[in-house]
Amino acid sequence: DIQMTQSPSTLSVSVGDRVTISCRASQSIGSWLAWYQQKPGKAPKLLIYRASTLESGVPSRFSGSGSGTEFTLTISSLQPDDFAIYYCQHSKSYFRTFGQGTKVEIK
Amino acid sequence: EVQLVESGGGLVQPGGSLRLSCEASGFTFSNYWMSWVRQAPGKGLEWVANINQDGSDKYYVDSVKGRFTLSRDNARNSLYLQMNSLRVEDTAVYYCAREKQFLEYLLYGTKTSYCGMDVWGQGTTVTVSS
């Protein structure tokens, strides 16, 4: 099975900061990667699919990059609404593994 | 409005059974792969299982194989997760989710591909405890 590893586990940041979250796959997954945002008590929200395609309605400050085994989610200028947990997830095989999550918290 | 609504969660003793349901509306349910994802208290997301459009292909995470069975009824726009031999570690919020499909433009034509989950239910809570 393909394992997904995110880093860091926690990010302490301020409004306006540029935020970068990494996700590494245990084997090449091409561009078959999605990113989600989850807030407490809520279902996850799809932000990016196919590694870099922004889901409809998602602000353009979110972007994704990478291919193969190394991927990045970037928030260009963090807004108050962006404090949440972010997850990556692959779709290379039918067994859709998630990363362990990265919590973006207020510094 | 595109919507998924889960039901069927509750408190059950170890070794017991539960059947979760997920009712879809606002889209053509029979056109989509569907997944169940769970989240244990204070933990991250764990993909549990998925099923193709006509129910002929199903995949499960190793920890639930042989205990959980995924099915769907396209006439009722519904997805089901039969959970048997439940364990304390199955305690979680269970979400059903629609797998996002998009067209890939290839040299020889187009292909429907899947990446991510674009519609989620509100979740139903399963607690396994004596």
Side-chain angles (χ1 to χ4, degrees):
Chain A
D1 290 0
I2 299 171
Q3 307 303 317
M4 307 301 294
T5 304
Q6 289 181 233
S7 61
S9 297
T10 305
L11 266 176
S12 298
V13 295
S14 301
V15 171
D17 284 354
R18 181 180 181 88
V19 170
T20 300
I21 298 170
S22 297
C23 177
R24 173 177 291 178
S26 60
Q27 64 189 72
S28 178
I29 59 169
S31 296
W32 297 105
L33 187 92
W35 288 98
Y36 302 85
Q37 177 192 69
Q38 188 182 33
K39 295 182 179 178
K42 299 294 186 182
K45 173 186 174 184
L46 178 66
L47 299 174
I48 287 168
Y49 64 98
R50 206 68 168 98
S52 61
T53 303
L54 203 64
E55 174 70 347
S56 176
V58 173
S60 59
R61 63 182 179 271
F62 292 92
S63 63
S65 63
S67 66
T69 61
E70 301 286 342
F71 300 87
T72 301
L73 173 70
T74 300
I75 310 172
S76 59
S77 177
L78 196 77
Q79 298 303 298
D81 191 47
D82 302 336
F83 290 100
I85 299 176
Y86 294 84
Y87 295 92
C88 62
Q89 175 240 320
H90 84 82
S91 294
K92 174 64 174 177
S93 73
Y94 291 115
F95 304 90
R96 321 286 205 203
T97 319
F98 287 88
Q100 81 278 17
T102 294
K103 182 177 182 181
V104 176
E105 63 179 23
I106 301 172
K107 183 184 285 184
Chain B
E1 180 192 3
V2 173
Q3 198 171 6
L4 296 170
V5 178
E6 302 97 336
S7 59
L11 174 63
V12 62
Q13 291 188 336
S17 297
L18 273 179
R19 187 196 198 207
L20 306 185
S21 299
C22 171
E23 186 171 350
S25 58
F27 65 98
T28 305
F29 178 71
S30 59
N31 285 353
Y32 288 86
W33 276 77
M34 298 294 295
S35 272
W36 285 96
V37 175
R38 68 184 178 183
Q39 187 167 36
K43 302 296 185 183
L45 301 172
E46 180 183 34
W47 171 81
V48 174
N50 60 2
I51 187 170
N52 71 342
Q53 289 90 335
D54 65 5
S56 59
D57 271 347
K58 306 170 194 182
Y59 299 88
Y60 301 90
V61 69
D62 283 349
S63 58
V64 309
K65 272 181 195 170
R67 301 188 299 122
F68 289 12
T69 302
L70 183 51
S71 63
R72 65 190 296 162
D73 183 340
N74 287 339
R76 296 178 185 269
N77 293 327
S78 292
L79 182 71
Y80 306 104
L81 186 67
Q82 178 65 45
M83 304 187 296
N84 298 331
S85 303
L86 281 161
R87 304 168 180 168
V88 170
E89 55 266 33
D90 294 320
T91 295
V93 175
Y94 285 73
Y95 296 99
C96 70
R98 185 180 82 173
E99 298 213 0
K100 180 170 180 72
Q101 64 182 35
F102 60 96
L103 279 180
E104 269 194 286
Y105 294 90
L106 307 172
L107 284 175
Y108 50 84
T110 60
K111 174 188 171 186
T112 299
S113 293
Y114 301 87
C115 189
M117 299 172 199
D118 61 350
V119 180
W120 294 70
Q122 83 288 354
T124 187
T125 300
V126 172
T127 304
V128 185
S129 174
S130 53

